Amino acid sequence: MLLGEKIAKSKLAPWQRLDALKTFFFPSFVFQMRTQQLSKSDMKIVDDFIRPLIKDTLYVDESAANEYIYGSAKMGLLGIPKLSEEVDIMMVDNAFKLLSSKDIRIHELAWEDILEHITTRTKLDPSPSLIEKYLNGVQDEEGFRHTSCPYSSTWSRARAASTRLGVTWRCREYGDLELHIDDKVLTKIDRKKICKTLKESLRNCWAKDLIAKPSQGAAIEVTSRHKASSHFLRSGDFTTFADWRFIHKARLNLLRLNGNTPWDDSIAQCRRCNAPVESTLHGSQEALILDVTVPYENRYQAFENARNEKTRKYADIASLLKKDFKKVSVEAIIVGALGSWDPANDAVLRKFTNKRYVNKLRKLCVSGAINHSRQIFQKHVIGHIPQEARPQHQEAVSANAEQDITRDNTIDFANN
């Protein structure tokens, strides 16, 4: 646990700390869990120790839902392993792999051992149906309800773990086992997929439980729809430290706002506009109508005309918004069809992004406009858009546009 504490309290960026925990700390327990040197209760101690440190890394308090930590990374959550669950997963995985081993000797020894174990427990001849009931933890009159085993074994641990995980075993005949996990059926052919499938199932359950929460799950339901919504969790790309400290509290509706104090309704009023409830959903009093247009570069007057047209176009909508907002503005982002960037765009973009990203966005917009204009031109001249080709440096340009395009494509084909 010392390693986890050192990583969590290190001077690394917060997303780097989470990545280091996943890469170095949690995998360090795999061997001990796999070989049953550490029990479920041991792993619960580790979980309880590391969880507050992870929440500190997210800059959220203890009221933050644990589901945010353990939920699936594919659904925009952290995907941190819960070691007390990992133990159960490995117990099921161990048992299934022994019983479905490709090594004939191991396969025979495993089946001999489980049959002997069930016989000792029930005093009955273990049929495939009895084996299935045992592994599924069924308590009935067929020998399980009134008997117990004086010692723990691989099979009893797998049995208990299967019950906790909601895994169902099927035994068609001796040597033929199936694992049913949610709507998936794993056979001996899929023996290497058991851990991954169980982990995905559990993490999806954590995510669904969080989404079901009325307060902390509202925003997560939306952010879980696309991985881009949480792209910064692993790499921190385009995210400042201030943004990191804000976003986790905001998505879990834990920002320190007057409306987030259900224990005291007397202070719910907004501190700025006197709205009845101040909450994350409670927006600012400024509205911005932003539209993008791509005019042709027929002198700079064309850009000015395009900007004025956007102002005229949205005038009625702006008037309606003024009933609910104190300040309403209409702005346009203008990029010429031939890749001209309007300097007036910069003042607009700096209202909601930083200078560094504005510099990058300029280049992306300019290159994108040039690319699409080229495709429109090619389709007009030759009737279709040729396959993308590597840039070629031409010293001479043909006077005939169609011949020029055909020549470029011929050169590219020859080079490829």
Side-chain angles (χ1 to χ4, degrees), residues 146-210:
H146 304 294
T147 61
S148 62
C149 187
Y151 60 90
S152 176
S153 69
T154 299
W155 320 116
S156 62
R157 285 189 288 267
R159 179 178 190 249
S162 299
T163 302
R164 289 190 290 264
L165 295 174
V167 173
T168 303
W169 294 73
R170 291 286 180 265
C171 183
R172 308 298 181 187
E173 58 185 26
Y174 295 116
D176 184 13
L177 284 173
E178 293 178 355
L179 271 184
H180 291 241
I181 304 170
D182 297 333
D183 57 346
K184 297 179 180 178
V185 179
L186 303 182
T187 64
K188 59 184 179 182
I189 300 175
D190 309 305
R191 58 200 305 272
K192 293 183 179 180
K193 300 179 182 178
I194 294 172
C195 278
K196 180 180 179 181
T197 305
L198 282 170
K199 288 177 182 179
E200 287 181 352
S201 175
L202 289 173
R203 289 170 187 173
N204 287 337
C205 286
W206 282 109
K208 291 175 182 177
D209 289 345
L210 177 57

Side-chain angles (χ1 to χ4, degrees), residues 2 54 86 92 130 196 237 242 244 276 290 298 302 317 373:
L2 181 60
I54 293 174
E86 299 276 312
V92 174
L130 189 61
K196 180 180 179 181
D237 287 347
W244 180 273
L290 184 64
N298 187 15
I317 297 177
S373 294

Side-chain angles (χ1 to χ4, degrees), residues 93-157:
D93 186 61
N94 282 350
F96 191 88
K97 284 181 176 175
L98 286 171
L99 294 171
S100 61
S101 175
K102 294 181 180 179
D103 187 294
I104 297 176
R105 184 57 181 155
I106 293 176
H107 183 270
E108 291 176 350
L109 287 173
W111 276 95
E112 288 175 6
D113 192 56
I114 191 173
L115 293 176
E116 181 182 352
H117 179 81
I118 295 175
T119 301
T120 302
R121 173 77 185 269
T122 64
K123 305 298 188 289
L124 297 173
D125 185 25
S127 63
S129 63
L130 189 61
I131 296 171
E132 183 178 302
K133 287 182 179 181
Y134 174 78
L135 290 173
N136 287 326
V138 175
Q139 298 286 344
D140 59 13
E141 298 298 334
E142 200 171 3
F144 294 124
R145 177 174 296 180
H146 304 294
T147 61
S148 62
C149 187
Y151 60 90
S152 176
S153 69
T154 299
W155 320 116
S156 62
R157 285 189 288 267

Side-chain angles (χ1 to χ4, degrees), residues 229-392:
S229 302
S230 302
H231 72 92
F232 56 88
L233 290 179
R234 189 172 183 88
S235 63
D237 287 347
F238 311 109
T239 306
T240 65
F241 292 124
D243 294 339
W244 180 273
R245 291 191 293 269
F246 163 80
I247 190 58
H248 304 290
K249 287 182 284 191
R251 288 187 173 183
L252 292 172
N253 197 25
L254 295 175
L255 291 173
R256 294 185 178 180
L257 297 171
N258 292 339
N260 284 348
T261 54
W263 58 87
D264 188 357
D265 294 336
S266 63
I267 58 171
Q269 190 177 45
C270 178
R271 71 194 75 186
R272 296 295 179 190
C273 66
N274 296 324
V277 179
E278 182 185 56
S279 64
T280 311
L281 185 61
H282 175 64
S284 68
Q285 290 301 299
E286 181 177 355
L288 172 64
I289 302 173
L290 184 64
D291 201 357
V292 179
T293 184
V294 185
Y296 187 76
E297 288 95 330
N298 187 15
R299 304 292 180 182
Y300 188 70
Q301 185 64 42
F303 280 23
E304 293 179 341
N305 292 341
R307 194 174 296 277
N308 293 334
E309 173 60 21
K310 293 299 179 185
T311 303
R312 184 201 64 77
K313 178 180 177 181
Y314 292 105
D316 292 340
I317 297 177
S319 298
L320 290 173
L321 290 174
K322 286 179 180 178
K323 297 178 181 179
D324 299 318
F325 297 90
K326 292 182 179 179
K327 182 180 179 181
V328 178
S329 56
V330 179
E331 302 288 358
I333 300 295
I334 299 176
V335 183
L338 302 182
S340 301
W341 178 262
D342 187 355
N345 295 339
D346 294 351
V348 178
L349 292 174
R350 286 188 183 127
K351 290 182 178 181
F352 46 84
T353 189
N354 56 53
K355 183 178 179 180
R356 186 180 69 172
Y357 187 70
V358 170
N359 292 336
K360 184 172 184 177
L361 185 61
R362 287 194 202 104
K363 298 173 184 178
L364 292 172
C365 291
V366 167
S367 296
I370 293 171
N371 177 267
H372 284 283
S373 294
R374 186 263 303 168
Q375 292 185 29
I376 293 170
F377 170 70
Q378 289 179 326
K379 188 173 182 180
H380 172 74
V381 174
I382 62 176
H384 67 278
I385 301 173
Q387 185 177 2
E388 289 290 338
R390 294 193 299 269
Q392 297 289 332

